[in-house]
């Protein structure tokens, strides 16, 4: 158990959220991802102390949820997907609740266009989608939850008014069985898109009832997190307030593009196509660097234009993904920042960076290693 911190691992029924067992774990590592799916790995010890708690029944893959409570705050929640024998117990692999929607698919056509559907009532009773991108996410999740066994208790209350104010024209053909997580991810990645995720935590205690937990589907528009000027986050290496233990700060132009072609659905000359080009970079002397990206199920030209433009923006600079190993208990402390936040990273002059280096970066991933002694946090960052 990390010095100065108390970790509790709560294993619950996925559908009902009923607590099955509170089990110790070792070698735990967990992460959260911006617009992605964080993971957890760790080992449940099988011993004379833990076997009476029923660890086998409490950690069945695909039907068990797991919450990580750190000092009374739930910092991670997800689903146990795999389990295997290791020396002294069983190792589990889990993924955040968004991973459930990788297992869910659209099985009847849903669309903002009433001409391609049979039941014009709105989802979940019909097939019609609201046009605002936030409400499309609501509709996809409501569709998933309305089916028997398909509601894992993720609240969609945060996806109601106010709208984002960004209309989309989308169609998800049932015969193509589009994946719900991928559909939301592509919608979010379009030009003028949004960030999304599932928040977890404790509900306020009511009377003498046992504490309960929440799972909330969220969107953030235009983006999640705070700008560097608002967050005030500064991670530094060198000096008395140093919080960075180690770092890598590579630059990679392999994935850079100055022209992106987006391919939607269709065959031959009827295939929906979009091209986005960074004319400013080309005019300033950068070479033509082309890439092609396919978007299955996209038939609307406006939607494809937006996805292609967003891809160009993401690839418009040399891909920089610095990583920083930081101390959890040195300012800024773990818990004071989240994925999506911007922070200033400062490296004082040292042999491998003689001139020093600093820059404002966005936190894309947070990975925590719970271990004996001080905790270490790995931050993966991206350009602002």
């Amino acid at each position: 158990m990390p010095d100065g911190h108390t970790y509790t691992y709560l294993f619950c029924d996925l559908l009902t959220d009923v607590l099955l067992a509170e089990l110790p774990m070792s070698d735990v590592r967990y992460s959260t991802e911006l617009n992605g799916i964080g993971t957890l790995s760790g080992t449940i010890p099988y011993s004379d102390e833990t076997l009476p708690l029923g660890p086998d029944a409490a950690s069945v893959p695909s039907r068990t949820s797991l919450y990580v409570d750190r000092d009374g705050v739930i910092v991670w929640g997800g689903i146990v997907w795999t389990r295997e024998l290791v020396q002294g117990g069983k190792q589990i692999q889990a993924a955040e609740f968004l991973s459930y929607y990788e297992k869910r698919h659209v099985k009847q056509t849903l669309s903002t266009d009433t001409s391609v559907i049979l039941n014009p009532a709105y989802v979940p009773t019909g097939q019609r989608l609201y046009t605002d991108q936030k409400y499309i996410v609501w509709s996809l999740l409501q569709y998933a939850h309305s089916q028997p066994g398909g509601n894992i208790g993720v609240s969609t209350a945060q996806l109601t008014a106010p709208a984002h104010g960004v209309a989309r024209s989308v169609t998800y053909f049932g015969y193509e069985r589009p994946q719900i997580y991928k559909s939301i991810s592509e919608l979010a990645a379009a030009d003028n898109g949004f960030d999304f995720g599932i928040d977890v935590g404790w509900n306020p205690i009511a009377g003498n009832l046992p504490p309960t937990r929440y799972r909330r589907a969220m969107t953030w528009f235009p983006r999640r997190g705070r700008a560097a000027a608002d967050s005030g986050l500064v991670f530094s290496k060198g000096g008395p307030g140093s919080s960075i233990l180690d770092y890598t700060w590579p630059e990679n132009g392999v994935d850079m593009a100055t022209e992106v072609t987006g391919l939607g659905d269709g065959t031959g000359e009827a295939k929906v196509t979009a091209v986005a080009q960074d004319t400013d970079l080309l005019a300033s002397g950068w070479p033509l660097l082309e890439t092609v990206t396919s978007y299955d199920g996209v038939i609307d030209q406006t939607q494809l234009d937006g996805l292609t433009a967003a891809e160009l923006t993401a690839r418009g600079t040399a891909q920089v993904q610095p990583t920083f190993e930081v101390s959890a208990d040195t300012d800024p402390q773990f818990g004071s920042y989240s994925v999506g936040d911007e922070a200033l990273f400062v490296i004082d002059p040292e042999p491998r960076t003689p001139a020093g280096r600093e820059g404002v970066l966005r936190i894309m991933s947070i990975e925590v290693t719970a271990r004996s002694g001080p905790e270490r946090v790995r931050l993966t960052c991206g350009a602002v």
Side-chain angles (χ1 to χ4, degrees):
M1 182 181 298
D3 292 347
H5 297 288
T6 300
Y7 270 91
T8 307
Y9 303 99
L10 307 169
F11 291 80
C12 303
D13 181 80
L14 179 58
L15 290 180
T16 66
D17 208 40
V18 169
L19 179 64
L20 302 173
E22 187 178 303
L23 299 171
M25 293 186 68
S26 62
D27 301 322
V28 176
R29 179 173 293 180
Y30 59 93
S31 68
T32 56
E33 307 282 342
L34 180 65
N35 300 335
I37 299 171
T39 60
L40 176 145
S41 63
T43 299
I44 303 171
Y46 278 41
S47 64
D48 292 341
E49 290 77 22
T50 59
L51 285 174
L53 301 175
D56 247 24
S59 60
V60 177
S62 301
R63 65 168 300 170
T64 305
S65 59
L66 169 61
Y67 297 92
V68 178
D69 179 296
R70 178 183 185 267
D71 297 338
V73 177
I74 292 178
V75 294
W76 193 91
I79 302 170
V80 176
W81 288 113
T82 69
R83 185 173 65 178
E84 64 178 317
L85 282 169
V86 294
Q87 185 173 2
K90 288 189 178 180
Q91 185 184 65
I92 64 166
Q93 301 284 339
E96 289 181 306
F97 285 112
L98 273 175
S99 63
Y100 174 68
Y101 300 99
E102 291 184 303
K103 307 292 186 182
R104 299 300 308 280
H105 298 263
V106 176
K107 295 180 287 189
Q108 67 170 346
T109 298
L110 307 178
S111 181
T112 54
D113 181 359
T114 56
S115 69
V116 300
I117 57 179
L118 298 176
N119 185 347
Y122 284 104
V123 171
T125 58
Q127 299 172 259
R128 187 177 179 184
L129 300 173
Y130 294 95
T131 57
D132 190 89
Q133 61 183 6
K134 183 180 182 181
Y135 299 156
I136 294 173
V137 178
W138 178 91
S139 298
L140 288 170
L141 295 183
Q142 286 293 317
Y143 167 80
H145 297 168
S146 67
Q147 298 173 56
N151 189 345
I152 62 166
V154 173
S155 170
T156 58
Q158 302 297 318
L159 302 179
T160 55
H164 289 171
V166 178
R168 303 290 188 192
S169 297
V170 295
T171 298
Y172 303 107
F173 291 107
Y175 60 82
E176 292 182 339
R177 293 297 196 268
Q179 184 195 89
I180 288 178
Y181 169 73
K182 183 180 178 183
S183 298
I184 293 172
S185 191
E186 289 183 348
L187 192 68
D191 200 26
N192 208 20
F194 54 92
D195 292 330
F196 66 99
I198 294 177
D199 275 358
V200 293
W202 289 110
N203 286 312
I205 296 177
N208 294 320
L209 297 174
T212 59
R213 297 153 293 274
Y214 63 76
R215 311 168 184 173
R216 298 173 183 163
M218 304 284 293
T219 62
W220 293 265
F221 178 77
R223 51 175 283 169
R224 180 179 187 176
R226 300 165 291 174
D230 297 323
S231 75
L233 296 168
V234 180
F235 295 91
S236 62
K237 183 171 177 57
S242 179
S243 58
I244 298 175
L245 305 173
D246 199 6
Y247 69 95
T248 65
W249 204 323
E251 294 177 289
N252 175 14
V254 172
D255 294 325
M256 185 176 176
T258 51
E259 181 180 289
V260 175
T261 297
L263 302 178
D265 264 4
T267 57
E269 296 300 321
K271 196 173 194 65
V272 185
T273 305
V275 178
Q277 191 176 80
D278 195 324
T279 54
D280 290 339
L281 281 180
L282 290 170
S284 65
W286 285 85
L288 180 62
L289 304 168
E290 299 172 312
T291 191
V292 178
T293 305
S294 296
Y295 300 97
D296 296 336
V298 176
I299 60 171
D300 180 74
Q301 186 67 54
T302 302
Q303 182 189 10
L304 186 62
D305 289 343
L307 288 167
T308 305
E311 181 74 6
L312 178 67
T313 299
R315 292 175 176 268
T317 57
Q319 300 296 298
V320 179
Q321 283 236 309
T323 61
F324 302 90
E325 196 102 1
V326 303
S327 170
D329 294 314
T330 303
D331 190 47
Q333 294 187 10
F334 175 64
S336 67
Y337 48 86
S338 66
V339 290
D341 280 341
E342 293 177 7
L344 175 64
F345 291 83
V346 180
I347 307 297
D348 284 354
E350 60 176 15
R352 57 179 173 156
T353 311
R357 188 170 186 177
E358 68 175 66
V360 173
L361 300 168
R362 193 176 186 204
I363 300 172
M364 311 300 287
S365 171
I366 301 173
E367 181 183 272
V368 183
T369 300
R371 61 173 62 172
S372 299
E375 292 172 287
R376 298 167 74 95
V377 181
R378 181 181 176 86
L379 306 177
T380 301
C381 301
V384 174

